[in-house]
Amino acid sequence: MKIATASDLRTLVIGAGSWGTALAAASSVNSNTLLWCRHQDQAEHISLHHTNPRYLPDLPLPPSLQATHDEQLAIHFLAEQPNQALIILGVPVVAMRETVAHWYQLLSNQQLSHIPIIWTCKGFEQSSGLLPHEVVKSVSLFPYYGVLSGPSFAKEVVQQLPVALTIASHSTVVKERTTQVLHNHFCRIYQSDDIIGVEVGGALKNIVAIACGIADGLGLGHNARAALITRGLAEITRLGLAMGGHAQTFAGLTGLGDLVLTATGDLSRNRQVGLALAKGQTLSDIVASGITAEGVRSARDTFLRAQQLQIDMPITQAVCHILFDNYPPTQAVHELLTREAKPEIR
């Protein structure tokens, strides 16, 4: 694989939340990188002061990283080196449909829709129950696309602490371009062709992390957390295989690895939701406090998919009861513990 120089590579990151900003910082090591922001004042602050105070306060960003609110400037940036360019979508699932449709139109108008595009969001779209790649295919004709996932907190990526991620795509161009841009001295990139498995693992680990937060908040101990992670992985694997994912994916970075981090790490928003629920806070109270977590958005659609495929997912069902049916967490735990005994492999 040819390793392009930083002067050759062009990376446009769309979305200046915590994860978009972190990936823009990481891609700046190997690539000329431009971060597109929804708000002009945010773009100006990042370019001038090299920080993103709203999402990553007190963390310095690379001096070479520039940001813009101007879509045409972003298009021109890509057009200067279209054959060495990469687009990273750093937006949540709820914004995927609108964002992809809008930028596909802009890029198509300039004959730039062949540029590889990858996304980082995790979950099912609430209105349709679609995975991110299904959303992308429903509103665009991007020929080269993929998903980037793995156990990672944005804050640690900006601090250049070691991290390993997986790029999943059916396109060699996508996998090689992503590796050229992001594989560096602190970020290791692995490659996969299992888009479905990677996306299912990313969506469902958030739900299990909520369950682990609830258990920890109730003081149920380390044994309970280990059981939830293990049986949660079994649920993820069952649904993932039924949807067409590969078994080995769920034992890798985007399955077990991401699950362990999100279920145990103090920076996990999904875990924070579980801890708050265990303290008696309602979902509306948690949302009003400013905590947003993809596991909340995805739980219902995940359970619906499981029912459609006749997949048993008791942990996901319990989380849905707590989130949406006003189940006391202790009652949901009791129902999980009193389920009929069965062989572990089932």
Side-chain angles (χ1 to χ4, degrees), residues 1-2 83 85-86 114-118 143-146 167-181 189-195:
M1 177 179 69
K2 177 182 180 292
N83 295 324
L86 176 70
H114 67 284
I115 295 175
I117 185 167
I118 65 174
Y144 308 114
Y145 58 84
I167 175 65
S169 176
H170 300 304
S171 164
T172 299
V173 171
V174 172
K175 288 184 284 192
E176 291 195 351
R177 187 70 49 77
T178 303
T179 303
Q180 288 176 329
V181 167
I189 302 296
Y190 290 84
Q191 299 181 1
S192 168
D193 62 0
D194 186 13
I195 294 176

Side-chain angles (χ1 to χ4, degrees), residues 19 122 148-153 156-157 161-167 182-183 186-190 252-254 257-258 261:
W19 194 222
K122 300 173 180 180
L148 181 73
S149 188
S152 50
F153 288 139
E156 294 187 0
V157 171
L161 296 176
V163 64
L165 303 169
T166 296
I167 175 65
L182 290 174
H183 192 89
F186 71 91
C187 181
R188 184 169 181 81
I189 302 296
Y190 290 84
L253 288 170
T254 61
D258 210 357
L261 180 70

Side-chain angles (χ1 to χ4, degrees), residues 267-288:
L267 294 176
S268 166
R269 288 171 293 182
N270 292 280
R271 174 176 160 77
Q272 289 173 15
V273 168
L275 290 168
L277 289 167
K279 294 176 181 177
Q281 295 184 38
T282 65
L283 180 57
S284 59
D285 290 337
I286 295 168
V287 172

Side-chain angles (χ1 to χ4, degrees), residues 46-212:
I46 291 172
S47 294
L48 289 173
H49 302 289
H50 309 297
T51 62
N52 188 340
R54 180 176 178 182
Y55 292 100
L56 294 165
D58 304 321
L59 289 179
L61 300 174
S64 62
L65 176 62
Q66 294 295 302
T68 185
H69 174 65
D70 187 333
E71 293 175 347
Q72 293 306 314
L73 190 152
I75 294 295
H76 178 72
F77 171 79
L78 293 172
E80 290 182 336
Q81 287 282 359
N83 295 324
Q84 296 288 353
L86 176 70
I87 300 168
I88 301 176
L89 295 178
V91 299
V93 175
V94 68
M96 276 287 285
R97 181 173 295 272
E98 177 184 356
T99 303
V100 170
H102 179 70
W103 282 90
Y104 178 73
Q105 187 63 52
L106 290 176
L107 292 161
S108 296
N109 290 343
Q110 301 296 324
Q111 284 91 43
L112 295 174
S113 61
H114 67 284
I115 295 175
I117 185 167
I118 65 174
W119 53 89
T120 64
C121 57
K122 300 173 180 180
F124 291 91
E125 186 183 43
Q126 281 185 289
S127 59
S128 66
L130 297 178
L131 286 168
H133 83 276
E134 296 171 321
V135 174
V136 171
K137 291 171 67 175
S138 72
V139 297
S140 75
L141 294 172
F142 282 116
Y144 308 114
Y145 58 84
V147 55
L148 181 73
S149 188
S152 50
F153 288 139
K155 179 180 179 180
E156 294 187 0
V157 171
V158 174
Q159 293 172 314
Q160 296 195 355
L161 296 176
V163 64
L165 303 169
T166 296
I167 175 65
S169 176
H170 300 304
S171 164
T172 299
V173 171
V174 172
K175 288 184 284 192
E176 291 195 351
R177 187 70 49 77
T178 303
T179 303
Q180 288 176 329
V181 167
L182 290 174
H183 192 89
N184 56 45
H185 64 281
F186 71 91
C187 181
R188 184 169 181 81
I189 302 296
Y190 290 84
Q191 299 181 1
S192 168
D193 62 0
D194 186 13
I195 294 176
I196 293 175
V198 168
E199 288 191 331
V200 170
L204 271 63
K205 57 93 178 181
N206 289 325
I207 302 169
V208 179
I210 293 174
C212 289

Side-chain angles (χ1 to χ4, degrees), residues 297-314:
R297 296 189 178 118
S298 298
R300 273 194 178 125
D301 292 301
T302 298
F303 189 55
L304 178 60
R305 281 265 184 142
Q307 288 179 309
Q308 292 169 344
L309 294 169
Q310 298 183 322
I311 303 298
D312 186 32
M313 300 189 70

